[in-house]
Amino acid sequence: MDLKGICVLSVILVVALIATTEGKTPPTKCQCKIAPKERKNCGHPGISAADCRKAGCCFNASVPGVPWCFTAKPKKVKKVCPADPRIRVNCGYPGITAKECTSRKCCFRAHPAGVPWCFYHRTVEEAC
């Protein structure tokens, strides 16, 4: 392979590496609470804590003999009916009944006036 081909392949490799790590958010402390023996490797030997977190993985070098850069647990989320009426997003229509609303898998609260009474759930992250 000539020099031009090697350069093109190098550029493609760098772009691919950037694309795979771009936009990943660092995991939360809850997601990183994993028993050392249950850790699944998420990085190469010698990876820095910063690079590990940039890849969306957890880093903990306190336990020898197990991966220090490891895969995070998935976030635990739950659906809740928002308590603040100002953030309700309409899920129904004027005059909808509670039964019709709940059959749409939505929340229903017939108060206060001037806000949707049938409204969508919000997805929130559960605590540790």
Side-chain angles (χ1 to χ4, degrees):
M1 185 178 286
D2 65 348
L3 184 59
K4 186 177 180 181
I6 292 172
C7 288
V8 169
L9 286 175
S10 297
V11 169
I12 291 171
L13 178 62
V14 169
V15 170
L17 285 172
I18 291 170
T20 58
T21 59
E22 200 171 79
K24 291 191 179 183
T25 57
T28 63
K29 287 183 182 180
C30 289
Q31 290 178 276
C32 293
K33 286 187 179 179
I34 299 172
K37 291 181 180 179
E38 296 176 13
R39 294 179 183 177
K40 291 189 171 67
N41 197 13
C42 190
H44 58 80
I47 190 169
S48 70
D51 287 342
C52 178
R53 289 187 185 102
K54 280 183 196 172
C57 303
C58 302
F59 189 88
N60 182 335
S62 66
V63 182
V66 296
W68 290 356
C69 182
F70 53 96
T71 305
K73 293 188 287 188
K75 284 185 179 182
K76 289 185 178 181
V77 295
K78 63 181 177 179
K79 287 184 176 181
V80 296
C81 295
D84 183 353
R86 296 172 294 171
I87 62 171
R88 293 180 183 176
V89 177
N90 199 358
C91 182
Y93 51 86
I96 192 169
T97 65
K99 186 176 179 180
E100 290 172 316
C101 180
T102 54
S103 72
R104 292 176 172 221
K105 309 262 191 264
C106 294
C107 304
F108 186 86
R109 289 203 185 106
H111 56 78
V115 297
W117 289 0
C118 180
F119 50 97
Y120 289 103
H121 293 92
R122 304 240 349 185
T123 303
V124 296
E125 187 175 345
E126 290 184 356
C128 294

